[in-house]
Amino acid sequence: MRLQKIRPGLWRWTALHPEWTPEDEWGEEVGCLYQETSDAITLIDPLVPPEEPVRFLEALDRDVHRAGRPVHILITIFWHARSAGRLVDRYP
């Protein structure tokens, strides 16, 4: 997992796609975004990194608690749903 601060309130993280194989035409790492605004947190195409799920979720829980805002999940295309259900359950 790699984490990059793009600007205040906007972060990008990468995770290893759990279904990736060397035969796939797309890369092993996939990108996801966290955006924090004055009224919500939005997770865009989120994937809980399978290589560090506990660490990732604990950090996300801290951010959600600190911000005190609702969490929205945006999926840009159906196969990017990946961890969306898990995160919807976690942040109803």
Coordinates of all heavy atoms in Angstrom, one line a residue:
M1 N 0.8 -1.2 0.0 CA 0.0 0.0 0.0 C 0.9 1.2 0.0 O 1.9 1.3 0.7 CB -0.9 0.0 1.2 CG -1.8 1.2 1.3 SD -2.9 1.3 2.8 CE -1.7 1.8 4.0
R2 N 0.5 2.2 -0.9 CA 1.2 3.5 -0.9 C 0.2 4.5 -0.7 O -1.0 4.5 -1.2 CB 1.9 3.7 -2.2 CG 3.1 2.8 -2.4 CD 3.9 3.1 -3.6 NE 3.3 2.5 -4.7 CZ 3.7 2.7 -6.0 NH1 4.6 3.5 -6.2 NH2 3.1 2.0 -6.9
L3 N 0.5 5.6 0.1 CA -0.4 6.7 0.4 C 0.3 8.0 0.0 O 1.5 8.2 0.3 CB -0.6 6.7 1.9 CG -1.6 7.7 2.5 CD1 -3.0 7.5 1.9 CD2 -1.6 7.6 4.0
Q4 N -0.5 8.8 -0.7 CA 0.0 10.1 -1.2 C -1.0 11.2 -0.9 O -2.1 11.1 -1.2 CB 0.2 10.0 -2.7 CG 0.6 11.3 -3.3 CD 0.6 11.2 -4.8 OE1 0.1 10.3 -5.4 NE2 1.1 12.2 -5.5
K5 N -0.5 12.2 -0.2 CA -1.3 13.4 0.1 C -1.2 14.3 -1.2 O -0.1 14.8 -1.5 CB -0.8 14.2 1.3 CG -1.7 15.4 1.6 CD -1.2 16.0 2.9 CE -2.1 17.2 3.3 NZ -1.6 17.8 4.5
I6 N -2.4 14.5 -1.8 CA -2.4 15.4 -3.0 C -2.5 16.8 -2.6 O -1.8 17.7 -3.2 CB -3.5 14.9 -3.9 CG1 -3.3 13.5 -4.4 CG2 -3.7 15.8 -5.1 CD1 -4.4 12.8 -5.1
R7 N -3.4 17.1 -1.7 CA -3.6 18.4 -1.1 C -4.3 18.2 0.2 O -4.8 17.1 0.5 CB -4.3 19.3 -2.1 CG -5.6 18.8 -2.5 CD -6.3 19.8 -3.4 NE -6.7 21.0 -2.5 CZ -7.9 21.5 -2.5 NH1 -8.8 21.2 -3.4 NH2 -8.1 22.5 -1.7
P8 N -4.5 19.2 1.0 CA -5.3 19.0 2.3 C -6.7 18.5 2.0 O -7.4 19.0 1.1 CB -5.4 20.4 2.9 CG -4.1 21.1 2.4 CD -3.9 20.6 1.0
G9 N -7.0 17.4 2.6 CA -8.3 16.7 2.5 C -8.4 15.8 1.3 O -9.5 15.2 1.1
L10 N -7.4 15.7 0.5 CA -7.4 14.8 -0.7 C -6.2 13.9 -0.7 O -5.1 14.3 -0.8 CB -7.5 15.6 -2.0 CG -7.6 14.8 -3.3 CD1 -8.9 14.0 -3.3 CD2 -7.5 15.8 -4.5
W11 N -6.5 12.6 -0.5 CA -5.4 11.6 -0.5 C -5.7 10.5 -1.5 O -6.8 10.2 -1.9 CB -5.5 10.9 0.9 CG -5.1 11.8 2.0 CD1 -5.9 12.7 2.6 CD2 -3.8 11.9 2.6 NE1 -5.2 13.4 3.6 CE2 -3.9 12.9 3.7 CE3 -2.6 11.2 2.5 CZ2 -2.9 13.2 4.5 CZ3 -1.5 11.6 3.3 CH2 -1.7 12.6 4.3
R12 N -4.6 9.9 -2.0 CA -4.7 8.8 -2.9 C -3.9 7.6 -2.3 O -2.9 7.8 -1.8 CB -4.1 9.1 -4.3 CG -4.1 8.0 -5.3 CD -3.5 8.4 -6.6 NE -3.7 7.4 -7.6 CZ -3.0 6.4 -7.9 NH1 -1.9 6.2 -7.2 NH2 -3.3 5.5 -8.8
W13 N -4.5 6.4 -2.3 CA -3.8 5.3 -1.9 C -3.9 4.2 -3.0 O -4.8 4.2 -3.8 CB -4.3 4.8 -0.5 CG -5.6 4.0 -0.5 CD1 -5.7 2.6 -0.6 CD2 -6.9 4.5 -0.4 NE1 -7.0 2.2 -0.5 CE2 -7.8 3.4 -0.4 CE3 -7.5 5.7 -0.3 CZ2 -9.2 3.5 -0.3 CZ3 -8.9 5.9 -0.2 CH2 -9.7 4.7 -0.2
T14 N -2.9 3.3 -2.9 CA -2.9 2.2 -3.8 C -3.0 0.9 -3.0 O -2.6 0.9 -1.8 CB -1.7 2.1 -4.7 OG1 -0.5 2.0 -3.9 CG2 -1.6 3.4 -5.6
A15 N -3.5 -0.1 -3.6 CA -3.6 -1.4 -3.0 C -3.4 -2.5 -4.1 O -3.6 -2.3 -5.2 CB -4.9 -1.6 -2.3
L16 N -2.9 -3.6 -3.6 CA -2.8 -4.8 -4.6 C -4.2 -5.4 -4.8 O -4.9 -5.7 -3.9 CB -1.9 -5.8 -4.0 CG -0.4 -5.4 -3.7 CD1 0.4 -6.5 -3.0 CD2 0.3 -4.9 -4.9
H17 N -4.5 -5.5 -6.1 CA -5.8 -6.0 -6.4 C -5.8 -7.5 -6.1 O -4.9 -8.3 -6.6 CB -6.2 -5.8 -7.9 CG -7.6 -6.0 -8.2 ND1 -8.2 -7.3 -8.1 CD2 -8.6 -5.1 -8.5 CE1 -9.4 -7.1 -8.4 NE2 -9.7 -5.9 -8.6
P18 N -6.8 -8.0 -5.3 CA -6.7 -9.4 -4.8 C -7.0 -10.4 -6.0 O -6.6 -11.6 -5.8 CB -7.8 -9.5 -3.8 CG -8.7 -8.3 -4.1 CD -7.9 -7.3 -4.7
E19 N -7.5 -10.0 -7.1 CA -7.8 -10.9 -8.2 C -6.8 -10.8 -9.3 O -6.9 -11.5 -10.4 CB -9.2 -10.7 -8.7 CG -10.2 -11.0 -7.6 CD -11.7 -10.7 -8.1 OE1 -11.9 -10.4 -9.3 OE2 -12.5 -10.7 -7.2
W20 N -5.8 -10.0 -9.2 CA -4.8 -9.8 -10.3 C -4.0 -11.0 -10.6 O -3.6 -11.7 -9.6 CB -3.9 -8.6 -9.9 CG -2.9 -8.3 -11.0 CD1 -3.1 -7.5 -12.1 CD2 -1.6 -8.7 -11.1 NE1 -2.0 -7.4 -12.8 CE2 -1.0 -8.2 -12.3 CE3 -0.8 -9.5 -10.3 CZ2 0.3 -8.4 -12.7 CZ3 0.5 -9.8 -10.7 CH2 1.0 -9.2 -11.9
T21 N -3.7 -11.2 -11.8 CA -2.8 -12.3 -12.3 C -1.8 -11.6 -13.3 O -2.2 -10.6 -13.9 CB -3.5 -13.5 -12.9 OG1 -4.1 -13.0 -14.1 CG2 -4.5 -14.1 -12.0
P22 N -0.6 -12.2 -13.5 CA 0.3 -11.7 -14.5 C -0.3 -11.6 -15.9 O 0.2 -10.8 -16.7 CB 1.5 -12.6 -14.4 CG 1.4 -13.2 -13.0 CD -0.1 -13.3 -12.7
E23 N -1.3 -12.4 -16.2 CA -1.9 -12.4 -17.5 C -2.8 -11.2 -17.7 O -3.2 -10.9 -18.9 CB -2.7 -13.7 -17.8 CG -1.9 -14.9 -17.8 CD -1.5 -15.4 -16.4 OE1 -2.2 -15.3 -15.4 OE2 -0.3 -15.9 -16.3
D24 N -3.2 -10.5 -16.7 CA -4.1 -9.3 -16.8 C -3.5 -8.2 -17.5 O -2.3 -8.0 -17.4 CB -4.6 -8.9 -15.4 CG -5.5 -9.8 -14.7 OD1 -6.3 -10.5 -15.4 OD2 -5.4 -10.0 -13.5
E25 N -4.3 -7.4 -18.3 CA -3.8 -6.3 -19.0 C -3.6 -5.1 -18.2 O -3.0 -4.1 -18.6 CB -4.8 -6.0 -20.2 CG -4.8 -7.1 -21.2 CD -5.8 -6.8 -22.3 OE1 -6.2 -5.7 -22.5 OE2 -6.1 -7.7 -23.1
W26 N -4.2 -5.0 -17.0 CA -4.1 -3.9 -16.1 C -3.0 -4.2 -15.0 O -2.7 -5.4 -14.7 CB -5.4 -3.5 -15.5 CG -6.3 -4.7 -15.2 CD1 -7.1 -5.4 -16.0 CD2 -6.4 -5.4 -13.9 NE1 -7.7 -6.4 -15.3 CE2 -7.3 -6.5 -14.1 CE3 -5.8 -5.2 -12.7 CZ2 -7.6 -7.3 -13.0 CZ3 -6.1 -6.1 -11.6 CH2 -7.0 -7.1 -11.8
G27 N -2.6 -3.2 -14.4 CA -1.5 -3.4 -13.3 C -2.0 -4.0 -12.1 O -3.2 -4.0 -11.8
E28 N -1.1 -4.5 -11.3 CA -1.4 -5.2 -10.0 C -1.9 -4.2 -9.0 O -2.7 -4.6 -8.2 CB -0.1 -5.9 -9.5 CG -0.3 -6.6 -8.2 CD 1.0 -7.3 -7.8 OE1 2.1 -7.0 -8.3 OE2 0.9 -8.2 -6.9
E29 N -1.4 -3.0 -9.0 CA -1.8 -2.0 -8.0 C -3.0 -1.2 -8.6 O -3.0 -0.8 -9.8 CB -0.7 -1.0 -7.7 CG 0.3 -1.5 -6.7 CD 1.2 -0.4 -6.2 OE1 1.5 0.6 -7.0 OE2 1.7 -0.5 -5.1
V30 N -4.0 -0.9 -7.8 CA -5.1 0.0 -8.2 C -5.1 1.2 -7.3 O -4.7 1.1 -6.1 CB -6.4 -0.8 -8.1 CG1 -6.4 -1.9 -9.2 CG2 -6.7 -1.4 -6.7
G31 N -5.6 2.3 -7.8 CA -5.7 3.5 -7.1 C -7.0 3.8 -6.5 O -8.1 3.5 -7.2
C32 N -7.1 4.5 -5.4 CA -8.3 4.9 -4.7 C -8.1 6.3 -4.1 O -7.0 6.7 -3.9 CB -8.6 3.9 -3.6 SG -8.4 2.2 -4.0
L33 N -9.3 7.0 -3.9 CA -9.2 8.3 -3.4 C -10.0 8.5 -2.1 O -11.1 7.9 -2.0 CB -9.6 9.3 -4.4 CG -8.7 9.5 -5.7 CD1 -9.5 10.3 -6.8 CD2 -7.4 10.1 -5.3
Y34 N -9.5 9.4 -1.3 CA -10.2 9.9 -0.1 C -10.3 11.4 -0.2 O -9.3 12.1 -0.4 CB -9.4 9.5 1.2 CG -9.8 10.1 2.5 CD1 -10.5 9.4 3.4 CD2 -9.5 11.5 2.8 CE1 -10.9 10.0 4.6 CE2 -9.9 12.0 4.0 CZ -10.6 11.3 4.9 OH -10.9 11.8 6.1
Q35 N -11.6 11.9 -0.1 CA -11.7 13.3 -0.2 C -12.6 13.8 1.0 O -13.6 13.2 1.3 CB -12.5 13.8 -1.5 CG -12.7 15.3 -1.5 CD -13.6 15.7 -2.7 OE1 -14.4 14.9 -3.2 NE2 -13.3 16.9 -3.2
E36 N -12.0 14.7 1.8 CA -12.7 15.2 2.9 C -13.1 16.7 2.6 O -12.2 17.5 2.3 CB -11.8 15.2 4.1 CG -12.4 15.5 5.4 CD -11.5 15.3 6.6 OE1 -10.8 14.3 6.7 OE2 -11.4 16.3 7.4
T37 N -14.4 17.0 2.7 CA -14.9 18.3 2.5 C -15.6 18.8 3.8 O -15.7 18.0 4.7 CB -15.9 18.4 1.3 OG1 -17.0 17.5 1.6 CG2 -15.2 17.9 0.0
S38 N -16.2 20.0 3.7 CA -16.8 20.5 4.9 C -18.1 19.8 5.3 O -18.5 19.9 6.4 CB -17.1 22.0 4.7 OG -18.0 22.1 3.6
D39 N -18.6 19.0 4.4 CA -19.9 18.3 4.7 C -19.8 16.7 4.6 O -20.8 16.1 5.0 CB -21.0 18.8 3.9 CG -20.8 18.6 2.4 OD1 -19.7 18.4 2.0 OD2 -21.8 18.7 1.6
A40 N -18.8 16.2 4.1 CA -18.7 14.7 4.0 C -17.3 14.2 3.7 O -16.4 15.0 3.3 CB -19.6 14.2 2.9
I41 N -17.1 12.9 3.9 CA -15.9 12.2 3.4 C -16.4 11.4 2.2 O -17.4 10.7 2.4 CB -15.3 11.3 4.5 CG1 -14.7 12.2 5.6 CG2 -14.3 10.4 3.9 CD1 -14.3 11.4 6.8
T42 N -15.7 11.4 1.1 CA -16.1 10.6 0.0 C -14.9 9.7 -0.3 O -13.7 10.1 -0.5 CB -16.4 11.5 -1.2 OG1 -17.4 12.4 -0.9 CG2 -16.8 10.6 -2.4
L43 N -15.2 8.4 -0.4 CA -14.2 7.4 -0.8 C -14.5 7.0 -2.3 O -15.6 6.6 -2.6 CB -14.3 6.2 0.0 CG -14.1 6.4 1.6 CD1 -14.4 5.1 2.3 CD2 -12.8 7.0 1.9
I44 N -13.6 7.2 -3.2 CA -13.8 7.0 -4.6 C -13.1 5.7 -5.0 O -11.9 5.5 -4.8 CB -13.3 8.2 -5.4 CG1 -14.0 9.4 -4.9 CG2 -13.5 7.9 -6.9 CD1 -13.4 10.7 -5.5
D45 N -13.9 4.7 -5.5 CA -13.4 3.4 -5.9 C -12.5 2.8 -4.8 O -11.4 2.3 -5.1 CB -12.6 3.5 -7.2 CG -13.4 3.9 -8.4 OD1 -14.6 3.7 -8.4 OD2 -12.9 4.5 -9.4
P46 N -13.0 2.7 -3.6 CA -12.2 2.2 -2.5 C -11.9 0.7 -2.6 O -12.7 -0.1 -2.9 CB -13.0 2.6 -1.3 CG -14.4 2.5 -1.7 CD -14.4 3.0 -3.2
L47 N -10.7 0.4 -2.2 CA -10.2 -1.0 -2.0 C -9.5 -1.0 -0.7 O -8.5 -0.3 -0.5 CB -9.3 -1.4 -3.1 CG -8.7 -2.8 -3.0 CD1 -9.8 -3.9 -2.9 CD2 -7.8 -3.1 -4.1
V48 N -10.0 -1.8 0.3 CA -9.2 -2.0 1.5 C -8.0 -2.9 1.1 O -8.2 -4.0 0.6 CB -10.1 -2.8 2.5 CG1 -9.3 -3.1 3.8 CG2 -11.3 -1.9 2.9
P49 N -6.8 -2.3 1.4 CA -5.6 -3.1 0.9 C -5.6 -4.5 1.6 O -5.5 -4.6 2.8 CB -4.5 -2.2 1.4 CG -5.1 -0.8 1.6 CD -6.5 -1.1 2.0
P50 N -5.6 -5.5 0.8 CA -5.5 -6.9 1.3 C -4.2 -7.1 2.1 O -4.2 -8.0 2.9 CB -5.7 -7.8 0.1 CG -5.4 -7.0 -1.1 CD -5.7 -5.5 -0.7
E51 N -3.2 -6.4 1.7 CA -1.9 -6.6 2.4 C -1.8 -5.9 3.7 O -1.0 -6.3 4.5 CB -0.8 -6.1 1.5 CG -0.7 -4.7 1.1 CD -1.6 -4.2 -0.1 OE1 -2.6 -4.9 -0.4 OE2 -1.3 -3.2 -0.7
E52 N -2.7 -5.0 4.1 CA -2.7 -4.3 5.3 C -4.1 -3.8 5.8 O -4.3 -2.7 6.1 CB -1.8 -3.0 5.3 CG -0.3 -3.3 5.0 CD 0.5 -2.1 5.1 OE1 0.7 -1.6 6.2 OE2 1.0 -1.6 4.0
P53 N -5.1 -4.7 5.8 CA -6.4 -4.3 6.1 C -6.7 -3.7 7.5 O -7.4 -2.7 7.6 CB -7.3 -5.6 5.9 CG -6.3 -6.7 6.1 CD -5.0 -6.2 5.6
V54 N -6.1 -4.3 8.5 CA -6.3 -3.8 9.9 C -5.7 -2.4 10.0 O -6.4 -1.5 10.5 CB -5.7 -4.8 10.9 CG1 -5.8 -4.2 12.3 CG2 -6.4 -6.1 10.8
R55 N -4.5 -2.2 9.6 CA -3.8 -0.9 9.7 C -4.6 0.2 8.9 O -4.8 1.3 9.4 CB -2.4 -1.0 9.2 CG -1.6 0.3 9.2 CD -0.2 0.1 8.8 NE 0.4 1.4 8.5 CZ 1.0 1.7 7.4 NH1 1.2 0.8 6.5 NH2 1.5 2.9 7.2
F56 N -5.0 -0.2 7.7 CA -5.8 0.8 6.9 C -7.1 1.1 7.5 O -7.5 2.3 7.6 CB -6.1 0.1 5.5 CG -6.9 1.0 4.6 CD1 -6.4 2.0 3.9 CD2 -8.3 0.8 4.6 CE1 -7.2 2.9 3.1 CE2 -9.1 1.6 3.8 CZ -8.6 2.6 3.1
L57 N -7.9 0.1 8.0 CA -9.2 0.4 8.6 C -9.1 1.2 9.9 O -9.9 2.1 10.2 CB -10.0 -0.9 8.8 CG -10.5 -1.5 7.5 CD1 -11.0 -2.9 7.7 CD2 -11.5 -0.6 6.7
E58 N -8.1 0.9 10.7 CA -7.9 1.7 11.9 C -7.6 3.2 11.6 O -8.1 4.1 12.3 CB -6.7 1.1 12.7 CG -7.1 -0.2 13.4 CD -6.0 -0.9 14.1 OE1 -4.8 -0.5 14.0 OE2 -6.2 -1.9 14.9
A59 N -6.8 3.4 10.6 CA -6.5 4.8 10.2 C -7.7 5.5 9.6 O -8.0 6.6 9.9 CB -5.3 4.8 9.2
L60 N -8.5 4.8 8.8 CA -9.7 5.3 8.3 C -10.7 5.6 9.4 O -11.3 6.7 9.4 CB -10.3 4.4 7.2 CG -11.5 4.9 6.4 CD1 -11.2 6.3 5.7 CD2 -11.9 3.9 5.4
D61 N -10.8 4.7 10.3 CA -11.7 4.9 11.5 C -11.4 6.2 12.2 O -12.2 7.0 12.6 CB -11.7 3.8 12.4 CG -12.4 2.5 11.9 OD1 -13.1 2.6 10.9 OD2 -12.2 1.5 12.5
R62 N -10.1 6.4 12.4 CA -9.6 7.7 13.1 C -10.0 8.9 12.3 O -10.5 9.9 12.9 CB -8.1 7.6 13.3 CG -7.7 6.7 14.5 CD -6.2 6.9 14.8 NE -5.3 6.7 13.7 CZ -4.7 5.5 13.4 NH1 -5.0 4.4 14.1 NH2 -3.9 5.4 12.3
D63 N -9.8 8.9 11.0 CA -10.1 10.0 10.2 C -11.6 10.3 10.2 O -12.0 11.5 10.3 CB -9.6 9.8 8.7 CG -8.1 10.0 8.6 OD1 -7.5 10.6 9.5 OD2 -7.6 9.5 7.6
V64 N -12.4 9.3 10.1 CA -13.9 9.4 10.1 C -14.4 10.0 11.4 O -15.2 10.9 11.5 CB -14.6 8.1 9.7 CG1 -16.1 8.2 10.0 CG2 -14.3 7.7 8.2
H65 N -13.8 9.4 12.5 CA -14.2 9.9 13.8 C -13.8 11.4 14.0 O -14.5 12.2 14.5 CB -13.5 9.0 14.9 CG -13.8 9.5 16.3 ND1 -15.1 9.3 16.8 CD2 -13.1 10.1 17.2 CE1 -15.1 9.8 18.1 NE2 -13.8 10.3 18.3
R66 N -12.5 11.7 13.6 CA -12.0 13.1 13.7 C -12.9 14.1 13.0 O -13.3 15.1 13.5 CB -10.6 13.2 13.3 CG -10.0 14.6 13.2 CD -8.7 14.7 12.5 NE -8.7 14.0 11.2 CZ -9.2 14.5 10.1 NH1 -9.9 15.6 10.1 NH2 -9.2 13.8 8.9
A67 N -13.2 13.7 11.7 CA -14.0 14.6 10.9 C -15.4 14.8 11.3 O -16.0 15.8 11.2 CB -13.9 14.1 9.4
G68 N -16.0 13.7 11.9 CA -17.4 13.7 12.3 C -18.4 14.0 11.2 O -19.4 14.7 11.4
R69 N -18.1 13.5 10.0 CA -18.9 13.7 8.9 C -19.4 12.4 8.3 O -18.7 11.4 8.5 CB -18.2 14.5 7.8 CG -17.7 15.8 8.3 CD -16.9 16.6 7.3 NE -16.5 17.8 7.9 CZ -15.2 18.2 8.1 NH1 -14.3 17.3 7.8 NH2 -14.9 19.3 8.7
P70 N -20.5 12.4 7.5 CA -20.9 11.1 6.9 C -19.9 10.7 5.8 O -19.2 11.5 5.3 CB -22.3 11.5 6.3 CG -22.3 13.0 6.1 CD -21.4 13.5 7.2
V71 N -19.9 9.4 5.6 CA -19.1 8.8 4.6 C -19.9 8.4 3.4 O -20.9 7.7 3.5 CB -18.3 7.6 5.1 CG1 -17.5 6.9 4.1 CG2 -17.5 8.0 6.3
H72 N -19.5 8.9 2.2 CA -20.1 8.5 0.9 C -19.1 7.7 0.1 O -17.9 8.0 0.2 CB -20.5 9.8 0.2 CG -21.5 10.7 0.9 ND1 -22.8 10.3 1.1 CD2 -21.3 11.9 1.5 CE1 -23.4 11.3 1.8 NE2 -22.5 12.3 2.0
I73 N -19.6 6.8 -0.7 CA -18.8 6.0 -1.5 C -19.2 6.2 -3.0 O -20.4 6.1 -3.3 CB -18.8 4.5 -1.1 CG1 -18.3 4.4 0.3 CG2 -18.1 3.7 -2.1 CD1 -18.3 3.1 0.9
L74 N -18.3 6.6 -3.8 CA -18.5 6.8 -5.2 C -17.8 5.7 -6.0 O -16.6 5.5 -5.8 CB -18.0 8.2 -5.6 CG -18.0 8.5 -7.1 CD1 -19.4 8.6 -7.6 CD2 -17.3 9.8 -7.4
I75 N -18.5 5.0 -6.8 CA -18.0 4.0 -7.7 C -18.0 4.5 -9.1 O -19.1 4.8 -9.6 CB -18.7 2.7 -7.6 CG1 -18.8 2.2 -6.1 CG2 -18.2 1.6 -8.5 CD1 -17.5 2.0 -5.5
T76 N -16.9 4.6 -9.8 CA -16.9 5.1 -11.2 C -17.3 4.1 -12.2 O -17.7 4.6 -13.3 CB -15.5 5.7 -11.5 OG1 -14.5 4.7 -11.4 CG2 -15.1 6.8 -10.5
I77 N -17.2 2.9 -12.0 CA -17.6 1.8 -12.9 C -17.8 0.5 -12.1 O -17.1 0.3 -11.1 CB -16.5 1.7 -14.0 CG1 -17.1 0.8 -15.2 CG2 -15.2 1.1 -13.5 CD1 -16.4 0.9 -16.5
F78 N -18.7 -0.3 -12.5 CA -19.2 -1.4 -11.7 C -18.1 -2.3 -11.1 O -18.1 -2.8 -10.0 CB -20.2 -2.2 -12.4 CG -19.7 -3.1 -13.5 CD1 -19.3 -4.4 -13.3 CD2 -19.6 -2.5 -14.8 CE1 -18.9 -5.1 -14.4 CE2 -19.2 -3.3 -15.9 CZ -18.8 -4.6 -15.7
W79 N -17.0 -2.6 -11.9 CA -16.0 -3.5 -11.4 C -15.1 -2.9 -10.3 O -14.3 -3.5 -9.7 CB -15.2 -4.2 -12.5 CG -14.5 -3.3 -13.4 CD1 -13.3 -2.6 -13.1 CD2 -14.8 -3.0 -14.8 NE1 -12.9 -1.9 -14.2 CE2 -13.8 -2.1 -15.3 CE3 -15.8 -3.5 -15.6 CZ2 -13.8 -1.7 -16.6 CZ3 -15.8 -3.0 -16.9 CH2 -14.8 -2.1 -17.4
H80 N -15.3 -1.6 -10.1 CA -14.5 -0.9 -9.0 C -15.2 -1.0 -7.7 O -14.8 -0.4 -6.7 CB -14.2 0.6 -9.4 CG -13.2 0.7 -10.4 ND1 -12.9 1.9 -10.9 CD2 -12.5 -0.2 -11.2 CE1 -11.9 1.8 -11.9 NE2 -11.7 0.5 -12.0
A81 N -16.3 -1.7 -7.6 CA -17.1 -1.8 -6.3 C -16.2 -2.5 -5.2 O -16.4 -2.2 -4.1 CB -18.4 -2.6 -6.6
R82 N -15.3 -3.4 -5.6 CA -14.4 -4.0 -4.7 C -14.8 -4.0 -3.2 O -15.5 -4.9 -2.8 CB -13.0 -3.3 -4.9 CG -12.6 -3.4 -6.4 CD -11.3 -2.7 -6.6 NE -11.2 -1.3 -6.4 CZ -10.6 -0.4 -7.2 NH1 -10.0 -0.9 -8.3 NH2 -10.6 0.8 -7.0
S83 N -14.3 -3.1 -2.4 CA -14.6 -3.1 -1.0 C -15.7 -2.2 -0.6 O -16.0 -1.9 0.6 CB -13.3 -2.6 -0.2 OG -12.2 -3.4 -0.5
A84 N -16.5 -1.7 -1.5 CA -17.6 -0.7 -1.2 C -18.6 -1.3 -0.2 O -18.9 -0.6 0.7 CB -18.3 -0.3 -2.5
G85 N -19.0 -2.5 -0.4 CA -20.0 -3.1 0.5 C -19.5 -3.2 1.9 O -20.2 -2.9 2.8
R86 N -18.3 -3.6 2.0 CA -17.6 -3.7 3.4 C -17.6 -2.3 4.0 O -17.8 -2.2 5.2 CB -16.2 -4.3 3.2 CG -15.5 -4.4 4.4 CD -14.1 -5.0 4.1 NE -13.3 -5.3 5.3 CZ -12.1 -5.8 5.3 NH1 -11.5 -6.1 4.2 NH2 -11.5 -6.0 6.4
L87 N -17.3 -1.3 3.3 CA -17.1 0.0 3.9 C -18.5 0.7 4.1 O -18.7 1.4 5.1 CB -16.3 0.9 2.9 CG -14.8 0.5 2.9 CD1 -14.1 1.2 1.8 CD2 -14.1 0.7 4.2
V88 N -19.5 0.4 3.3 CA -20.9 0.8 3.5 C -21.4 0.2 4.9 O -22.0 0.9 5.7 CB -21.8 0.5 2.4 CG1 -23.3 0.6 2.8 CG2 -21.5 1.3 1.2
D89 N -21.1 -1.0 5.1 CA -21.5 -1.7 6.3 C -20.8 -1.1 7.5 O -21.3 -0.9 8.6 CB -21.2 -3.2 6.3 CG -22.1 -3.9 5.3 OD1 -23.1 -3.4 4.9 OD2 -21.7 -5.1 5.0
R90 N -19.5 -0.7 7.3 CA -18.7 -0.1 8.4 C -19.1 1.3 8.8 O -19.1 1.7 9.9 CB -17.2 -0.1 8.0 CG -16.3 0.1 9.2 CD -14.9 -0.1 8.7 NE -13.9 0.0 9.8 CZ -13.5 -1.0 10.5 NH1 -13.8 -2.3 10.1 NH2 -12.6 -0.9 11.4
Y91 N -19.5 2.1 7.8 CA -19.9 3.5 7.9 C -21.3 3.7 7.4 O -21.5 4.3 6.4 CB -18.9 4.4 7.2 CG -17.5 4.2 7.6 CD1 -16.6 3.6 6.7 CD2 -17.0 4.4 8.9 CE1 -15.3 3.4 7.0 CE2 -15.7 4.2 9.2 CZ -14.8 3.6 8.3 OH -13.5 3.4 8.6
P92 N -22.3 3.2 8.1 CA -23.7 3.4 7.6 C -24.2 4.8 7.5 O -23.7 5.7 8.2 CB -24.5 2.5 8.6 CG -23.7 2.4 9.8 CD -22.3 2.6 9.4

